[in-house]
Amino acid sequence: MKAMILAAGLGTRMRPLTDHCPKPLLPVAGKPLIVHHLERLAAAGICDIVIDVSFRAQQIIDALGDGDRYGVSLTFSVEEAPLETAGGLRQALPSLGEAPFVLVNGDVWMDFPLERLALTEGDLASLVMVDTTDFHHRGDFHLDTHGRLHAEGEPRLIYAGLGVIHPQLVAGLPIGTVARLAPLLIEAMQAGHVGGWHHRGDWVDVGTPERLAELEARLRS
């Protein structure tokens, strides 16, 4: 199975840290945040990885190279301007192929066992979900007792930024489209084609300097 890491965002919430450094290269516990992803994917046997880049793209490409030093093979999907999640996935499909792939948000960290990631036959996506937080108390979706995700229902959980996606979910978009993933996921949920897991372990949305410091403290301890 291949993987795609989303790393094309502008990192505006991380300013001033991202004024001169793209968010994926911000150091955490002695290494760039995105390297934590590369090492965990490699340890799980997921070694063919596509990274979408836009803001300060060349810095990321130069820093990571071909991925050999991390035990992976890297391909970069360069966006002239950020295409949002679904648009970025659509542009990268030629590199991802026709089989389901792991999708990782570049600005999260969690200890979910990547070996568990799989897609049930007939599904278009399966997402890792976590409990709501003080900065996202409404949540995103409802996970029922059968492991199926729904756009409506209680209790609600947060999409953790990790999952498995079937290329068909975004294949209908024209290349170059700026499009978010959530509407496509909701449409697939309504058709009964999205599953999920409830992860109760560690998870950090590294979206602000404060949460970056929180992750640094966790990993150092």
Side-chain angles (χ1 to χ4, degrees):
M1 186 182 294
K2 295 185 178 182
M4 179 161 177
I5 301 176
L6 299 173
L10 299 176
T12 53
R13 292 183 299 160
M14 291 294 284
R15 288 176 177 165
L17 299 181
T18 51
D19 284 346
H20 304 288
C21 177
K23 184 161 58 173
L25 297 184
L26 290 175
V28 183
K31 65 186 74 172
L33 176 59
I34 197 168
V35 171
H36 289 273
H37 291 307
L38 298 180
E39 292 179 344
R40 293 197 68 232
L41 287 165
I46 304 168
C47 299
D48 197 343
I49 301 169
V50 179
I51 303 175
D52 74 335
V53 290
S54 182
F55 175 66
R56 299 191 182 276
Q58 197 59 48
Q59 277 186 252
I60 299 174
I61 295 169
D62 291 344
L64 301 180
D66 61 5
D68 184 66
R69 81 191 82 166
Y70 311 111
V72 299
S73 175
L74 296 181
T75 301
F76 294 93
S77 177
V78 180
E79 301 171 15
E80 293 299 321
L83 297 173
E84 296 282 3
T85 306
L89 292 181
R90 177 63 187 91
Q91 177 164 299
L93 282 190
S95 298
L96 290 165
E98 299 180 357
F101 57 90
V102 173
L103 179 64
V104 185
N105 284 10
D107 57 358
V108 300
W109 186 92
M110 73 182 74
D111 58 1
F112 183 87
L114 301 181
E115 296 82 1
R116 290 184 57 193
L117 293 172
L119 196 63
T120 300
E121 185 175 355
D123 276 357
L124 293 175
S126 195
L127 310 179
V128 178
M129 308 296 294
V130 294
D131 292 330
T132 55
T133 68
D134 56 355
F135 60 83
H136 191 4
H137 56 83
R138 177 69 180 98
D140 296 312
F141 308 121
H142 168 63
L143 181 66
D144 69 25
T145 56
H146 301 289
R148 310 305 298 169
L149 279 169
H150 307 272
E152 304 297 334
E154 300 290 340
R156 298 177 71 78
L157 299 172
I158 297 172
Y159 169 48
L162 175 66
V164 183
I165 302 294
H166 196 291
Q168 289 180 359
L169 183 67
V170 298
L173 295 173
I175 293 178
T177 299
V178 178
R180 297 173 58 244
L181 190 60
L184 298 179
L185 286 171
I186 290 172
E187 183 178 342
M189 288 176 197
Q190 292 169 341
H193 295 311
V194 182
W197 302 269
H198 187 180
H199 178 55
R200 295 175 173 84
D202 275 350
W203 175 75
V204 179
D205 174 357
V206 194
T208 65
E210 293 76 20
R211 294 204 289 273
L212 182 68
E214 175 190 343
L215 178 58
E216 173 80 20
R218 285 195 192 192
L219 296 183
R220 289 292 186 186
S221 64

